[in-house]
Amino acid sequence: MKVLSIIHNPAWTESRIVDLLTEAGHEVDHCCPAAGDDLPSVGAHDGVVVNGGSVSVWEADQHPFMQREIDFVRDVVEAEVPFAGFCLGSQILAAAFGVTSASRPDEQVEYGFWPIQPTDAGRELFDDLDHVFQVHEEASVAVPDGGVLLATSGLFDVQAYRFRHAYGLQFHVDARQHDIPSWWEDNVERYANRPGAQPLDQQIADAARHESAID
């Protein structure tokens, strides 16, 4: 298979998802519309992954690449190309089908390892996951009409869902244990003083406890 990985920083070409795809023998093409890359035609790849980023889906009027990604994902899903979105990628999938994202009124975030609760529909996928790595202050406010909620949490209702044959995950199964310090370095100014942001030493300790279940 040939898989398109949409990233939001040209340096973000490595992840657990890329590792798994390449280990399985698939070819991964990276595309960064935020840096000016053109999106390919919908039929050029056998699957599409959209990764995380710092721009909100509701900022599409300020960042034209975001609207291009939303439109592209809509076309991908309509064409029945397999799709997975992680964090911002899950919000882009929701936005493509009429659902926006929002932060909590109390400014609570999830940064670090936080628990999720699988629904009955998501139990087979997520029942072994006690905690997952999260880096977000916003989440989809609902599941697109006709979709199925797969996991929720006490802070953000939509943690994972299926829409047709596409999947949206608010959490970062793409982050590997050794990625966590550099991610924190990139995000510490934005998140360090927000409620719900765990200190780096706790993130590293929790990664050691939960990494095997995520793998």
Side-chain angles (χ1 to χ4, degrees):
M1 287 178 58
K2 191 175 181 181
V3 179
L4 176 67
S5 174
I6 296 177
I7 54 179
H8 297 99
N9 183 312
W12 296 348
T13 56
E14 297 184 6
S15 71
R16 175 183 277 109
I17 304 304
V18 172
D19 291 346
L20 292 172
L21 288 169
T22 54
E23 287 167 9
H26 305 306
E27 179 183 350
V28 179
D29 290 336
H30 298 286
C31 177
C32 186
D37 291 351
D38 292 328
L39 287 159
S41 62
V42 168
H45 294 83
D46 304 299
V48 175
V49 173
V50 179
N51 299 281
S54 58
V55 174
S56 299
V57 294
W58 49 265
E59 294 179 305
D61 58 337
Q62 304 168 46
H63 301 279
F65 77 86
M66 178 58 64
Q67 189 59 56
R68 290 196 296 272
E69 288 190 32
I70 292 170
D71 294 342
F72 178 76
V73 168
R74 184 186 305 113
D75 291 344
V76 163
V77 175
E78 295 287 2
E80 299 186 355
V81 177
F83 175 90
F86 301 98
C87 199
L88 176 59
S90 73
Q91 297 169 22
I92 289 173
L93 172 62
F97 292 93
V99 176
T100 191
S101 298
S103 56
R104 288 173 55 93
D106 60 5
E107 298 190 345
Q108 178 91 18
V109 304
E110 288 180 320
Y111 197 119
F113 283 84
W114 285 85
I116 59 169
Q117 292 81 48
T119 64
D120 288 343
R123 203 164 305 283
E124 185 176 352
L125 282 175
F126 302 125
D127 203 30
D128 292 335
L129 290 183
D130 293 325
H131 291 69
V132 291
F133 189 59
Q134 307 260 19
V135 182
H136 69 104
E137 58 190 278
E138 298 178 346
S140 301
V141 300
V143 173
D145 189 32
V148 178
L149 183 67
L150 301 176
T152 185
S153 76
L155 292 176
F156 292 88
D157 291 340
V158 180
Q159 287 286 348
Y161 64 95
R162 181 178 67 248
F163 179 72
R164 303 180 191 173
H165 54 279
Y167 288 81
L169 277 64
Q170 183 57 56
F171 45 93
H172 280 284
V173 293
D174 51 321
R176 302 157 299 184
Q177 186 172 348
H178 64 266
D179 294 323
I180 288 173
S182 63
W183 282 36
W184 181 244
E185 184 178 345
D186 290 343
N187 287 289
V188 63
E189 244 181 75
R190 180 173 180 175
Y191 284 99
N193 296 316
R194 300 283 296 275
Q198 299 167 353
L200 179 58
D201 57 352
Q202 182 180 347
Q203 295 175 42
I204 293 172
D206 284 349
R209 281 193 287 270
H210 301 300
E211 185 86 355
S212 60
I214 296 170
D215 284 337

